[in-house]
């Protein structure tokens, strides 16, 4: 079940990257509005705080998709015999 979720989340890496960059852009805009509001117009801070929520959501959603894609590539390339390579059962006759 976890594999299927990882595969589904990492299915579209370009879309995940686009979501991440949208979130990053919104985050920069939110921080800029908060900074502007600190010095000039206090209402801009509220706009920045309101913009911060979707910014973090999109950035996280995109990052999770990117991570899931990379992790899915690792799962696909890993063979079931890799677990046995670390087992030292061949020297058990000592």
């Amino acid at each position: 079940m976890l594999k299927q979720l990882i595969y589904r989340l990492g299915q579209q890496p370009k879309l995940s990257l686009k979501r991440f960059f949208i979130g990053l852009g919104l985050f920069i805009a939110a921080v800029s509005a908060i900074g502007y509001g600190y010095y000039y117009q206090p209402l801009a801070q509220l706009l920045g705080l309101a913009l911060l929520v979707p910014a973090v959501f999109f950035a996280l959603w995109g990052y999770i998709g990117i991570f899931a894609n990379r992790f899915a590539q690792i799962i696909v390339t890993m063979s079931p015999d890799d677990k046995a390579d670390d087992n030292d059962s061949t020297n058990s006759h000592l």
Side-chain angles (χ1 to χ4, degrees):
M1 178 159 162
L2 186 61
K3 272 188 184 180
Q4 294 166 350
L5 178 65
I6 290 171
Y7 289 146
R8 191 173 56 85
L9 285 173
Q11 198 169 10
Q12 300 171 335
K14 289 183 181 182
L15 181 62
S16 296
L17 187 64
K18 184 178 177 180
R19 286 178 184 147
F20 177 75
F21 282 138
I22 288 171
L24 186 64
L26 287 174
F27 183 79
I28 291 170
V31 169
S32 298
I34 291 170
Y36 177 79
Y38 181 74
Y39 291 108
Y40 301 109
Q41 185 66 24
L43 288 177
Q45 286 182 324
L46 295 175
L47 174 68
L49 287 174
L51 202 57
L52 201 58
V53 173
V56 170
F57 172 75
F58 273 104
L60 228 114
W61 190 14
Y63 187 77
I64 289 172
I66 293 167
F67 177 77
N69 180 273
R70 299 290 295 179
F71 196 63
Q73 289 176 2
I74 291 171
I75 291 172
V76 167
T77 59
M78 199 170 76
S79 68
D81 294 335
D82 288 344
K83 294 179 184 175
D85 290 342
D86 295 335
N87 193 356
D88 206 12
S89 62
T90 58
N91 294 331
S92 61
H93 65 277
L94 296 176

